[in-house]
Amino acid sequence: MTGQVQPAAAEAAGGDRRIGPVVMEMKNITLRFGGVTAIRDISFDIREGEIRAIIGPNGAGKSSMLNVISGFYRPQEGEVWFRGQRRPRLKPYQVARQGIARTFQNIALFEGMSVLDNIMTGRLTLMRSTILDQALWWGRAEREEVAHREKVEKIIDFLEIQHVRKTPVGRLPYGLKKRVELARALAAEPRILLLDEPMAGMNVEEKEDMCRFVLDVNDEFGTTIVLIEHDMGVVMDLSDRVVVMDYGRKIADGPPAEVRRDQAVIDAYLGVPHDG
Amino acid sequence: MAEIMPDEAPQSIPALLARNARRFGARPAYREKEYGIWQCWSWIAAAEEVRALALGFLALGMARGDHVAIIGRNRPALYWAMVAAQSVGAVPVPLYQDSVAEEMAFVLDHCGARFVVAGDQEQVDKVLEVSARLSALEQIVYVDRRGMRKYDHTRMNALADVQAEGRAARQRFEAELAARTAALTYDDACVILYTSGTTGRPKGVVLSNRNIIETSRASCSFDGLTEAEEILAYLPMAWVGDFIFSVGQAYWAGFCVNCPESAATMMTDLREIGPTYFFAPPRIFEQMLTSVMIRMEDAGALKRRLFERYMAVARRYGPAILDGRPVAASDRAAYGLGDMLVYGPLKNTLGLSRIRVAYTAGEAIGPEIFDFYRALGINLKQLYGQTEASVFITQQPDGEVRSDTVGVPSPGVEVRVAETGEVFYRSPGVFVEYYKAAEATAATKTADGWVATGDAGFFEEGTGHLRIIDRAKDVGKTADGSLFAPKYVENKLKFYPSILEAVAFGAGRPFCTAFVNIDLTAVGNWAERNGIAYASYQELAGHPRVLEMIQGHVEEVNRALARDRMLAGCQIRRFLVLHKELDADDGELTRTRKVRRRIIEEKYADLIAALYGGADSVYTETEVTYEDGRKGHIRATLAIREVAPVAVPAERMAAE
């Protein structure tokens, strides 16, 4: 067994997950859309293996921040450092090859395709066979498909969606679609997983399930997770460190317990008059 | 362990496993769908897995007579754990996986389990939650590693690791394992199964190797089960039926046990496996039928017409063809065509194409549902059984199948009906004892082996089939001395979709009466189609046309009851439709939706008085509890309807 011995508590998830060195660093990021400044001079870091939450009220710039991390938006000012190097401008597939995968706030799956096929698309960047191989369906293409299918089946098993394996995604309820999206992101075997409001619009039970899956992913695969969330309760239970944003600014950064007591955070959530 | 027992008379489940490994070798013993593929283990492979696990158990210090709790969904590894425990002389105690920690604590404590084999993290958590109270508990073994990495493993192991350790320790423990397996006798405990127990605490029923093996042998030959059968193991492992089907009969006959991927995929897995031998409670058959009907409603006109036309043919000739009774060649041809166009594809969709024998039991099955499957050519039969009997008391032989009997005594079983109407039985399957409950054992089982079922029934004249009518304690007599079986009448009423619940009265009264609850969904639908407007449940329940419809149902039930000399006295003379739904929140039903007779009798005493009075309506006020716990009153004036009793056919009377 792994040498880690801990008191046998059901909620063993706390404390000593192996959190490593800084894997990604945002340095003085500013992002503008025309005259609107979405993000103003924000800096924070992400450590290997942690669950890092970004929270804040509506329009605080959370999703923009996630898009900066994923490389989809390029900030006007500031730098993104990844594994000790300044990250150049990237194409989406290059981001994926760096081991970053994400889910979207408004589900972005292929509605007409089955759950299985949707998750298979997540492995696209890992496929090596050529179009010719695949058209002939011989040798490498076949072997590759079997190997990929096995990985995908393990993810299906992990997220407990065996019962909808062959169902077209369009016929699934919302909560399951969210899970399929997580599955597709996992299929890329990411080192960093970006989750944009994974619990939004879910009922309590679905939220609890999703929380468990997020913790399990982090625990089983050691995946670093950056998540945006509205629901304060969820964030506080789930994350190791929290960045709080309001009107494009960072107003707090630290462990949940600390952030929760922060006056600026309380004000932002209770809606104190702003002069931003 | 192979060479110890002669081939012909294995004395234990491990001995049967050894025999099967020799006799059936490479034939499949277990399949489980995992990662989207059916993984398969032959008898040789299964014997090897069990052996490795048994050696591992020895390494963990499992002693003879230890109790090993097994908790989880049906998986090969858990079945192996049971047999491995038996191999080292321990006794498996399977638990219901959906029981809450509290119930689990009772059973674990009562049986004093030293070892727990759990399916996954969820079950381990439940055990840990109550482990402080379990002084005997020493080791937990789990199957699924997921989420378990960070638990304290000082007294916990993954099942695969226990097996690996067992394999490594082969030389050290081989002799000990062989000796322990060889020492198992026919009268040693094979398994302890806790009955869910509708009254009081669950009781641990100890079944011996003799109970299980004799029962399995008799029931396999009754239905001609061979090593070629395929079954789907999806019912709780703690239930005696699963133990008999998936362990007893599977090991006796040597057939393959298939475990579904998860509870949610059961229907898909059923279809992929296409079992030849199948058991399901009436609820499952009902669900399957409903799903078929809903899909037919959505189908195109041509398909619908084909379905309706050929289902009518099937209803007319199907059961007769299945029973091997003579059917005209032209009708046979029509049925054959229907089989090609409708029944075959339908059975294939349901996963029932290959069924040779299917059983249902547990509660009454609606005759329409039962006949539907029979009409399709599926050999669905009923059996009557109990944990204490190792399942089988009576069952229906091929060709003598009806929805209202439970069949003839199973081979080797003696059944008698006492003066009171209670059914007693004696058989090689009769349990050894209730674990640590000598008094309860003595109260249920006489010294010469007769066991009281607690059910009332009678043998039908002519056919010799047993019919179960009710729980013995609920059966009474009306004032004129005829038999009164409330549940039998209520079930007959409840088979109508528009009747959700019924409560019959009649013990010690001049005649029988009933309360009826309408089913809001079914009756509401009916009202919509017939242009009947209503604003509330109460209004719909009191609508004259609804009352007429219900009256029609009651009359039909009376006609059916009149055909039965024993039960003709249960005909309903007066009834009323209740203005509110019986509700567990009001204490009128149990949480599992069983009628609480005494409470209803007290609460609605005024209505019962009116049923036995002469009036044609009654005014009443009833206290109700809302979901938020507030209380309120509903007032209503209920119509009381009279139903003319049907005369009992004369020739039957004369036969007496």
Side-chain angles (χ1 to χ4, degrees):
Chain A
M1 302 263 78
T2 58
Q4 292 191 312
V5 179
Q6 235 197 14
E11 47 296 298
D16 64 333
R17 232 187 341 259
R18 283 160 300 174
I19 293 178
V22 171
V23 58
M24 197 182 249
E25 201 172 358
M26 309 296 134
K27 290 185 178 168
N28 309 93
I29 304 283
T30 298
L31 178 73
R32 290 187 208 92
F33 298 105
V36 183
T37 308
I39 301 172
R40 238 178 255 254
D41 190 28
I42 287 188
S43 304
F44 65 95
D45 59 16
I46 300 162
R47 287 171 174 278
E48 181 103 51
E50 75 173 339
I51 298 183
R52 187 73 151 123
I54 303 176
I55 65 170
N58 262 334
K62 304 183 298 282
S63 288
S64 301
M65 194 67 235
L66 205 67
N67 279 319
V68 169
I69 298 173
S70 76
F72 186 69
Y73 289 159
R74 194 173 162 76
Q76 278 79 6
E77 289 163 34
E79 293 167 356
V80 179
W81 283 64
F82 182 62
R83 296 198 189 280
Q85 287 180 336
R86 190 177 160 188
R87 191 168 73 179
R89 186 175 207 129
L90 294 174
K91 298 218 162 57
Y93 75 88
Q94 292 173 314
V95 175
R97 291 225 165 127
Q98 285 198 332
I100 300 178
R102 69 168 300 177
T103 67
F104 297 83
Q105 193 175 343
N106 46 348
I107 295 164
L109 292 164
F110 301 102
E111 296 266 311
M113 274 162 49
S114 70
V115 167
L116 181 64
D117 289 340
N118 262 287
I119 302 172
M120 280 297 255
T121 61
R123 300 205 54 88
L124 203 60
T125 51
L126 302 169
M127 296 197 183
R128 293 289 171 268
S129 55
T130 63
I131 291 182
L132 187 66
D133 286 339
Q134 298 196 2
L136 294 174
W137 191 246
W138 178 76
R140 182 158 65 160
E142 191 178 348
R143 280 198 306 277
E144 209 180 21
E145 169 106 4
V146 170
H148 285 304
R149 173 74 188 267
E150 195 180 337
K151 289 273 187 201
V152 167
E153 283 294 345
K154 290 204 165 140
I155 290 163
I156 289 177
D157 185 68
F158 189 81
L159 294 178
E160 294 165 13
I161 45 178
Q162 300 100 327
H163 59 297
V164 293
R165 184 186 283 126
K166 301 269 172 75
T167 313
V169 165
R171 277 181 25 205
L172 298 183
Y174 181 79
L176 270 179
K177 282 187 188 173
K178 281 276 198 192
R179 224 190 280 178
V180 175
E181 232 200 357
L182 176 60
R184 183 180 59 183
L186 282 180
E189 295 179 39
R191 293 312 306 152
I192 301 179
L193 182 60
L194 312 178
L195 305 175
D196 196 348
E197 304 216 11
M199 281 33 123
M202 288 187 171
N203 63 32
V204 178
E205 199 188 330
E206 289 170 334
K207 270 186 194 170
E208 280 174 359
D209 279 349
M210 190 52 111
C211 280
R212 190 165 58 87
F213 287 128
V214 169
L215 283 172
D216 280 352
V217 167
N218 176 256
D219 189 37
E220 278 309 273
F221 309 127
T223 313
T224 309
I225 292 171
V226 181
L227 69 99
I228 290 182
E229 193 42 66
H230 240 67
D231 189 325
M232 285 287 274
V234 166
V235 169
M236 296 304 171
D237 288 348
L238 217 56
S239 45
D240 298 303
R241 289 191 303 158
V242 183
V243 175
V244 189
M245 289 177 71
D246 191 22
Y247 287 88
R249 289 201 180 88
K250 181 169 99 170
I251 57 171
D253 186 356
E258 211 170 278
V259 165
R260 199 200 304 263
R261 287 194 303 270
D262 193 299
Q263 192 55 44
V265 176
I266 295 167
D267 289 349
Y269 267 86
L270 294 179
V272 165
H274 237 282
D275 46 296
Chain B
M1 54 188 172
E3 50 287 342
I4 290 149
M5 287 296 154
D7 229 27
E8 296 322 309
Q11 305 279 301
S12 66
I13 300 289
L16 275 173
L17 176 61
R19 181 203 72 174
N20 289 352
R22 283 195 307 275
R23 189 183 287 180
F24 302 120
R27 282 193 68 86
Y30 288 94
R31 277 195 209 99
E32 181 183 31
K33 192 167 182 185
E34 201 177 22
Y35 305 134
I37 292 171
W38 285 98
Q39 320 279 347
C40 183
W41 291 267
S42 67
W43 281 106
I44 289 174
E48 158 53 29
E49 296 280 353
V50 169
R51 185 186 176 81
L53 190 54
L55 290 164
F57 281 163
L58 285 178
L60 281 178
M62 194 179 284
R64 278 199 184 103
D66 276 352
H67 290 164
V68 182
I70 312 277
I71 318 165
R73 69 178 172 86
N74 314 65
R75 301 195 64 174
L78 291 184
Y79 287 112
W80 299 336
M82 292 213 269
V83 184
Q86 291 167 340
S87 305
V88 301
V91 182
V93 186
L95 267 63
Y96 283 92
Q97 57 159 346
D98 54 0
S99 54
V100 294
E102 212 38 55
E103 295 164 14
M104 207 171 261
F106 172 79
V107 175
L108 288 174
D109 182 47
H110 187 260
C111 74
R114 268 186 78 202
F115 292 80
V116 170
V117 181
D120 56 14
Q121 184 188 13
E122 186 188 340
Q123 306 299 342
V124 172
D125 283 348
K126 280 199 275 185
V127 175
L128 288 177
E129 196 183 320
V130 297
S131 59
R133 282 181 275 161
L134 306 171
S135 49
L137 180 65
E138 281 178 26
Q139 288 278 347
I140 297 176
V141 177
Y142 57 85
V143 180
D144 191 347
R145 285 177 192 271
R146 173 175 174 182
M148 297 299 305
R149 202 165 50 78
K150 288 194 315 218
Y151 284 60
D152 175 4
H153 275 73
T154 44
R155 284 169 33 177
M156 198 185 291
N157 283 288
L159 187 123
D161 294 340
V162 176
Q163 284 184 310
E165 212 173 331
R167 288 188 180 106
R170 166 152 292 174
Q171 284 196 306
R172 223 171 348 130
F173 292 115
E174 204 164 26
E176 170 74 8
L177 177 63
R180 291 224 201 158
T181 306
L184 295 172
T185 72
Y186 224 29
D187 289 308
D188 283 332
C190 175
V191 65
I192 300 180
L193 298 162
Y194 277 78
T195 55
S196 44
T198 43
T199 48
R201 293 290 203 174
K203 287 178 282 194
V205 179
V206 180
L207 297 173
S208 65
N209 288 319
R210 178 191 304 278
N211 293 152
I212 298 296
I213 293 174
E214 290 292 324
T215 302
S216 300
R217 176 169 59 194
S219 52
C220 281
S221 74
F222 185 87
D223 282 312
L225 302 178
T226 69
E227 72 273 16
E229 312 302 334
E230 297 279 350
I231 64 164
L232 191 71
Y234 69 101
L235 289 160
M237 289 181 69
W239 176 62
V240 65
D242 188 63
F243 193 82
I244 287 288
F245 303 138
S246 307
V247 180
Q249 293 184 333
Y251 277 57
W252 177 262
F255 58 73
C256 180
V257 174
N258 298 281
C259 297
E261 189 167 24
S262 74
T265 60
M266 184 270 189
M267 286 296 172
T268 324
D269 297 335
L270 179 67
R271 198 179 154 196
E272 287 173 1
I273 287 301
T276 60
Y277 176 46
F278 184 58
F279 181 94
R283 176 174 50 83
I284 300 262
F285 286 111
E286 224 172 286
Q287 275 168 14
M288 284 165 96
L289 176 56
T290 311
S291 79
V292 169
M293 287 310 176
I294 289 172
R295 275 156 73 178
M296 280 322 298
E297 303 260 304
D298 293 340
L302 177 71
K303 277 189 188 166
R304 239 187 2 245
R305 274 182 46 204
L306 262 179
F307 179 74
E308 272 154 24
R309 189 189 143 78
Y310 281 102
M311 277 319 294
V313 171
R315 286 211 172 81
R316 215 166 323 135
Y317 309 116
I321 292 174
L322 194 58
D323 287 348
R325 277 177 279 146
V327 174
S330 60
D331 298 336
R332 231 173 242 282
Y335 188 88
L337 191 61
D339 193 36
M340 221 159 66
L341 293 171
V342 179
Y343 325 141
L346 181 58
K347 282 191 282 186
N348 189 24
T349 308
L350 295 175
L352 303 177
S353 295
R354 301 203 296 160
I355 296 281
R356 286 202 313 107
V357 185
Y359 275 108
T360 185
E363 49 198 306
I365 185 167
E368 293 77 30
I369 300 165
F370 194 70
D371 291 343
F372 173 82
Y373 291 98
R374 300 278 307 166
L376 287 179
I378 294 163
N379 189 16
L380 178 59
K381 309 199 284 185
Q382 296 202 82
L383 66 80
Y384 171 62
Q386 278 194 329
T387 308
E388 287 83 348
S390 312
V391 178
F392 296 97
I393 299 173
T394 67
Q395 59 196 127
Q396 297 178 322
D398 287 343
E400 293 176 41
V401 180
R402 280 163 38 199
S403 65
D404 56 353
T405 80
V406 291
V408 298
S410 302
V413 182
E414 299 167 76
V415 179
R416 68 178 168 86
V417 179
E419 277 295 289
T420 55
E422 188 169 356
V423 177
F424 288 77
Y425 62 90
R426 183 162 72 173
S427 75
V430 164
F431 71 119
V432 179
E433 57 168 358
Y434 290 122
Y435 185 63
K436 291 204 293 203
E439 252 174 62
T441 310
T444 312
K445 192 169 98 163
T446 63
D448 52 355
W450 285 95
V451 181
T453 59
D455 288 324
F458 62 92
F459 278 106
E460 216 175 53
E461 280 167 40
T463 60
H465 279 236
L466 182 69
R467 287 175 60 175
I468 296 297
I469 50 180
D470 206 337
R471 296 292 299 164
K473 66 176 168 49
D474 288 335
V475 172
K477 291 226 155 68
T478 55
D480 63 357
S482 50
L483 190 70
F484 169 67
K487 203 164 114 196
Y488 186 79
V489 179
E490 288 158 11
N491 277 338
K492 276 211 173 303
L493 284 167
K494 278 159 66 179
F495 288 146
Y496 293 96
S498 47
I499 298 178
L500 180 70
E501 210 51 77
V503 191
F505 307 97
R509 309 267 191 179
F511 51 83
C512 292
T513 58
F515 290 169
V516 172
N517 248 182
I518 57 166
D519 185 320
L520 185 58
T521 335
V523 179
N525 242 322
W526 170 86
E528 209 169 288
R529 273 182 283 117
N530 288 277
I532 294 168
Y534 64 97
S536 66
Y537 180 87
Q538 191 179 337
E539 193 182 333
L540 184 64
H543 197 284
R545 289 192 51 196
V546 172
L547 293 178
E548 257 164 56
M549 175 176 68
I550 302 292
Q551 176 135 18
H553 295 335
V554 173
E555 281 165 3
E556 273 179 56
V557 167
N558 278 354
R559 272 197 291 279
L561 289 169
R563 280 196 286 274
D564 242 310
R565 200 170 43 78
M566 294 282 291
L567 295 162
C570 296
Q571 288 188 53
I572 294 160
R573 304 285 187 83
R574 282 160 71 84
F575 77 93
L576 58 80
V577 175
L578 283 177
H579 51 299
K580 74 172 276 284
E581 226 174 280
L582 296 176
D583 198 333
D585 287 345
D586 291 327
E588 294 155 340
L589 301 177
T590 65
R591 287 285 160 196
T592 50
R593 298 200 62 84
K594 287 191 184 119
V595 168
R596 298 170 102 161
R597 238 166 259 292
R598 304 280 162 272
I599 290 175
I600 293 174
E601 268 170 28
E602 268 169 42
K603 186 167 177 182
Y604 296 103
D606 55 333
L607 297 182
I608 297 175
L611 281 173
Y612 289 99
D616 60 0
S617 75
V618 55
Y619 172 81
T620 186
E621 274 186 34
T622 313
E623 191 185 75
V624 292
T625 313
Y626 298 110
E627 272 181 19
D628 59 1
R630 285 180 303 124
K631 306 225 176 208
H633 284 86
I634 27 177
R635 298 168 187 80
T637 304
L638 305 180
I640 295 177
R641 310 280 290 206
E642 297 259 354
V643 191
V646 180
V648 179
E651 74 277 16
R652 284 271 185 117
M653 291 295 277
E656 195 172 45

